[in-house]
Amino acid sequence: MSKLSVKDVPVSGKRVLVRVDFNVPLDENQQITDDSRILGALPTIRYLAEHKARTILCSHLGRPKGKFVPEMSLAPVAKRLQELLPGLNISFASDVIGEDAKKKAAELRDGEVLLLENLRFHAEEEKNDSKFAKALADYAELYVSDAFGTVHRAHASTEGVAHYLPAVCGFLIEKELDVMGKALSDPERPFVALLGGKKVRDKIGVIRNLLNKCDTLLIGGGMCYTFYKAMGLNIGNSVLDEESIDLAKTLLDEAKKKGVRMLLPVDCVVGKEFKNDTEILTISYDEIPDGYIGMDIGEKTDELYAQIIREAGTVVWNGPLGVFEFDNFAQGSEAIARACAECEGITIIGGGDSAAAIAKFGLSDKMSHISTGGGASLEFLEGKTLPGIACLLDKPERKKLIAGNWKMNMNRDETKVLVEELIPLVSESACDIVVCPPFVDLSCAAKRVKGTNIHLGAQNVHWAAKGAFTGEISADMLKNIGVEYAIIGHSERRQYFGETDETVNMRVKAALENELIPIVCVGETLEQREAGITDSFLAGQVRALYNGITADKAETIIIAYEPIWAIGTGKTATDEEANRTIGAIRSVVAELYGAAFAEQTRILYGGSMNAKNAAGLKSMPEIDGGLIGGASLKAEDFAKVIKA
Ligand code: ADP
Ligand code: MG
């Protein structure tokens, strides 16, 4: 379940409390030695300022343990922030919930930013004290969480405030959830997990969780010696996690049972002493001599692992493969970091030391995603519920809908048979199901579907309520016999019957007047596609269909994207193409009615969706179902599309 983000809710003119991670390292003169955390927070701050919010930033810095410690003031951060955002008006409060902060917060104007003093000057912060949380919440009308590094802790500013304010995530957290969430729930395969670091114990949760999801698990770092020990091998003076020896055995067995390929290093770099300049040997994993310490993976292992990583669809890496802090034992981590850089799949780095290692090799910008939360990313990879994430509002899930457009097929008797065949096949289905037979069959079909989970739609509706319109059918007539949906502006109507954007809009209005749910079709021709004007053409159709309709009325409208070049031709858009285009349509809806509205608007794909391709298309995040032609004319085929 994804979370609402700052761009899904109105912020203009609102007071917004933002929890950021400004826990930057300072030297003895209170100079910031690394401002990457401040840089990470800029997109959300910029967005809020540009959208005329009144932004109140809060963060912790260091461990002042509930006392005012001048050396841990956020004042240098305020100064740096102003240098980074010279166009903004940024002020700094000398306290958190005291007079100065209250006064400055009250004086904030649209587009201005205030940074509060260090949250941990109050012991109540880490205790998640409800009065303190309420005092923070009182500053604002909206809470934005953007400090991923602290979401695994339930503190007043990370969890408590969400009890008093609508809570959404900022861009930093949104990206963390998107990338890591997708890797865990629906990874591109092969999915390779790479785990290093010092102790098995620290990573048990991650190993267990990833064992259920990955195809290959590569082990390195200090933890591999506990596995060797479990296999009865000599490990010299290498780091050993005594307590975890049995566990290491169990994990090896679990991997075998689950059919996950779990590899340990085939060679090791060992040192006489735990320091950079020491006597060094590279030996096979089963020949570690007494008196030596395993410090890094060897070159054969580099090659073996690198090959697997280069071919991966997803790599999740947590924990360095050797004592990378010593240059002589950094080559394994570096070789693997280079393989990640060369990998064309998604590469995700979780863990503070792993991120530091990759930065040391200058490869940070070659990774798809480096998590900004050390402990938080670890807990995320363990599959744990993070309190600072759980408290954020869920993004509403759009219910999938499958509508069958029978076009000019099926007489009344055939309709009766088809509907009766369909009913038992789809009675358990969780998605909305609509069938759209020809007008003359609707009455008969209405009787059959009564009391089932199948709903009825018409293939068109006239814009006038009644009168001299020979051959037409009004919305009221349809409603009267139990029809709930109406397809409007199908490409065939646009192509053969002179349907225009204006008449589509008129029909939509008539349908809404009578509480029929419009399924409005848009789509581009082959020529338009080849001329590269797909998006602008569709945007025009979308704007036209909503013309003059207020948001409260427009809410029920469903859009069906039908690439005309894919109808009846057997050609289909790829899943990604269809998803991208529907995303573009959604952003036009967002321009018209706002992002939150667009998030709730259902957009179907209609263009030769069938039993074979339905699962792929329906699994795309932007695609909310399908408008099905040919494949809806056989109960079995249609049921397959519905259940896919
Ligand atoms: P992360 O912060 O990325 O989650 P960890 O904290 O689990 O990673 O592990 C990082 C530490 O593991 C590093 O300090 C590194 O020196 C240490 N380490 C890696 N390999 C070994 C080894 N063979 N022996 C001892 N320590 C090791
Ligand atoms: Mg660490």
Side-chain angles (χ1 to χ4, degrees):
M1 168 74 80
S2 51
K3 296 290 175 179
L4 276 184
S5 101
V6 61
K7 63 178 195 307
D8 298 326
V9 292
V11 297
S12 173
K14 293 232 156 75
R15 292 171 186 281
V16 183
L17 178 74
V18 189
R19 175 55 155 108
V20 287
D21 181 0
F22 284 164
N23 184 25
V24 292
L26 299 174
D27 66 13
E28 58 280 5
N29 303 314
Q30 269 70 255
Q31 296 297 309
I32 298 165
T33 54
D34 177 359
D35 65 359
S36 38
R37 286 190 168 146
I38 305 178
L39 298 177
L42 295 185
T44 300
I45 299 172
R46 270 205 201 98
Y47 177 90
L48 286 168
E50 274 163 20
H51 289 79
K52 304 273 168 273
R54 305 173 182 200
T55 304
I56 299 148
L57 303 172
C58 60
S59 173
H60 76 283
L61 194 160
R63 297 176 188 277
K65 303 202 170 134
K67 281 199 286 290
F68 182 84
V69 181
E71 293 74 34
M72 294 182 194
S73 169
L74 281 165
V77 174
K79 192 163 151 257
R80 185 86 191 91
L81 193 60
Q82 184 68 79
E83 288 162 12
L84 290 166
L85 299 168
L88 297 188
N89 201 345
I90 296 170
S91 50
F92 178 65
S94 59
D95 49 28
V96 184
I97 51 168
E99 287 313 310
D100 193 46
K102 281 186 185 146
K103 181 166 166 287
K104 286 181 175 148
E107 284 168 358
L108 269 185
R109 286 174 303 182
D110 292 357
E112 293 184 341
V113 178
L114 169 69
L115 172 62
L116 304 179
E117 189 45 290
N118 191 343
L119 289 161
R120 290 195 189 162
F121 287 173
H122 290 261
E124 294 92 331
E125 159 67 356
E126 290 187 78
K127 287 186 188 139
N128 198 5
D129 177 83
S130 58
K131 277 207 201 96
F132 182 69
K134 172 87 168 47
L136 289 173
D138 281 345
Y139 284 126
E141 297 144 88
L142 175 71
Y143 167 71
V144 175
S145 168
D146 215 18
F148 188 68
T150 57
V151 292
H152 57 317
R153 307 261 181 258
H155 293 168
S157 70
T158 62
E159 198 273 344
V161 284
H163 296 279
Y164 306 101
L165 288 176
V168 301
C169 59
F171 295 118
L172 200 83
I173 291 198
E174 188 181 26
K175 188 181 174 223
E176 297 275 3
L177 297 182
D178 274 2
V179 182
M180 292 208 288
K182 169 141 189 353
L184 295 186
S185 64
D186 182 23
E188 299 293 330
R189 295 193 180 269
F191 177 8
V192 177
L194 181 62
L195 294 173
K198 204 163 172 181
K199 292 183 186 150
V200 183
R201 208 179 326 157
D202 297 345
K203 305 282 159 96
I204 301 163
V206 184
I207 299 178
R208 278 247 156 83
N209 193 31
L210 293 181
L211 262 184
N212 289 319
K213 300 171 193 289
C214 71
D215 304 297
T216 305
L217 183 62
L218 306 176
I219 302 282
M223 71 158 92
C224 63
Y225 304 101
T226 304
F227 283 96
Y228 291 148
K229 189 81 186 173
M231 291 156 64
L233 296 171
N234 189 19
I235 61 164
N237 294 339
S238 306
V239 55
L240 172 66
D241 185 358
E242 284 267 13
E243 289 170 34
S244 306
I245 297 176
D246 285 343
L247 184 76
K249 271 191 207 124
T250 318
L251 291 172
L252 288 167
D253 285 345
E254 271 177 39
K256 208 173 271 168
K257 267 189 220 132
K258 293 193 167 126
V260 173
R261 181 162 64 143
M262 180 164 170
L263 300 184
L264 290 162
V266 292
D267 58 351
C268 308
V269 181
V270 298
K272 190 95 202 184
E273 286 175 78
F274 194 81
K275 58 182 192 186
N276 190 49
D277 292 310
T278 181
E279 193 196 317
I280 297 172
L281 298 172
T282 301
I283 35 82
S284 172
Y285 71 102
D286 51 4
E287 289 169 1
I288 300 175
D290 285 336
Y292 283 81
I293 308 168
M295 303 279 268
D296 197 4
I297 57 174
E299 277 166 22
K300 284 198 187 110
T301 310
D302 292 354
E303 236 343 281
L304 175 72
Y305 284 13
Q307 182 69 22
I308 293 168
I309 288 164
R310 280 192 289 261
E311 286 165 8
T314 305
V315 179
V316 170
W317 180 7
N318 179 274
L321 301 174
V323 189
F324 75 97
E325 294 92 338
F326 299 148
D327 288 349
N328 285 336
F329 302 104
Q331 68 79 32
S333 299
E334 180 162 4
I336 296 310
R338 293 206 180 281
C340 286
E342 284 161 28
C343 170
E344 281 172 17
I346 317 263
T347 47
I348 299 171
I349 315 302
D353 291 298
S354 316
I358 286 161
K360 174 173 168 159
F361 310 135
L363 292 170
S364 302
D365 58 349
K366 297 281 195 302
M367 307 297 147
S368 315
H369 181 68
I370 298 186
S371 178
T372 53
S377 47
L378 204 63
E379 291 194 20
F380 191 90
L381 295 176
E382 287 176 37
K384 280 194 187 154
T385 305
L386 309 176
I389 299 293
C391 69
L392 305 178
L393 294 170
D394 291 327
K395 208 172 230 181
E397 266 194 60
R398 299 183 297 266
K399 197 168 174 199
K400 298 260 188 245
L401 183 144
I402 298 288
N405 176 14
W406 296 358
K407 307 190 178 182
M408 201 173 75
N409 298 295
M410 303 285 143
N411 63 26
R412 196 197 55 173
D413 297 340
E414 290 161 341
T415 292
K416 192 177 142 217
V417 173
L418 181 48
V419 170
E420 280 175 355
E421 282 174 0
L422 191 62
I423 292 169
L425 294 179
V426 300
S427 62
E428 304 280 292
S429 168
C431 66
D432 286 336
I433 304 166
V434 182
V435 293
C436 306
F439 283 131
V440 292
D441 303 343
L442 284 168
S443 275
C444 160
K447 281 192 202 112
R448 307 285 150 187
V449 301
K450 209 166 179 192
T452 73
N453 60 340
I454 300 177
H455 301 263
L456 265 195
Q459 295 174 19
N460 189 18
V461 60
H462 194 59
W463 56 78
K466 58 157 119 196
F469 299 97
T470 303
E472 293 297 327
I473 309 280
S474 74
D476 173 64
M477 292 170 185
L478 295 170
K479 190 79 194 166
N480 186 262
I481 56 168
V483 172
E484 295 169 85
Y485 295 79
I487 301 174
I488 295 172
H490 189 275
S491 64
E492 284 151 20
R493 295 213 62 81
R494 294 184 191 251
Q495 206 175 345
Y496 306 136
F497 304 106
E499 189 83 74
T500 65
D501 283 349
E502 289 71 37
T503 55
V504 166
N505 176 245
M506 287 157 72
R507 293 183 204 278
V508 172
K509 285 175 178 159
L512 293 174
E513 272 311 295
N514 290 278
E515 289 169 357
L516 284 182
I517 301 172
I519 301 176
V520 193
C521 304
V522 297
E524 84 284 20
T525 61
L526 188 59
E527 286 98 345
Q528 287 160 337
R529 180 176 190 237
E530 284 173 350
I533 56 167
T534 297
D535 286 9
S536 59
F537 179 75
L538 291 174
Q541 286 189 325
V542 171
R543 287 192 198 104
L545 80 89
Y546 283 108
N547 191 22
I549 303 174
T550 54
D552 58 320
K553 293 240 172 64
E555 237 166 43
T556 61
I557 296 174
I558 296 167
I559 299 176
Y561 166 56
E562 294 187 294
I564 297 173
W565 49 269
I567 297 177
T569 59
K571 284 186 196 158
T572 41
T574 62
D575 297 353
E576 288 73 23
E577 249 179 305
N579 189 63
R580 192 209 62 81
T581 313
I582 288 180
I585 292 173
R586 196 179 305 288
S587 57
V588 179
V589 179
E591 275 167 33
L592 295 173
Y593 297 104
F597 181 99
E599 271 309 318
Q600 311 227 31
T601 300
R602 292 197 279 186
I603 310 182
L604 315 179
Y605 176 74
S608 302
M609 194 192 272
N610 57 40
K612 281 212 184 82
N613 61 24
L617 287 161
K618 281 170 80 182
S619 72
M620 301 307 288
E622 294 287 354
I623 303 180
D624 302 318
L627 180 58
I628 320 296
S632 70
L633 294 173
K634 273 201 190 126
E636 232 170 80
D637 291 354
F638 192 42
K640 274 188 198 145
V641 175
I642 289 167
K643 291 190 216 158

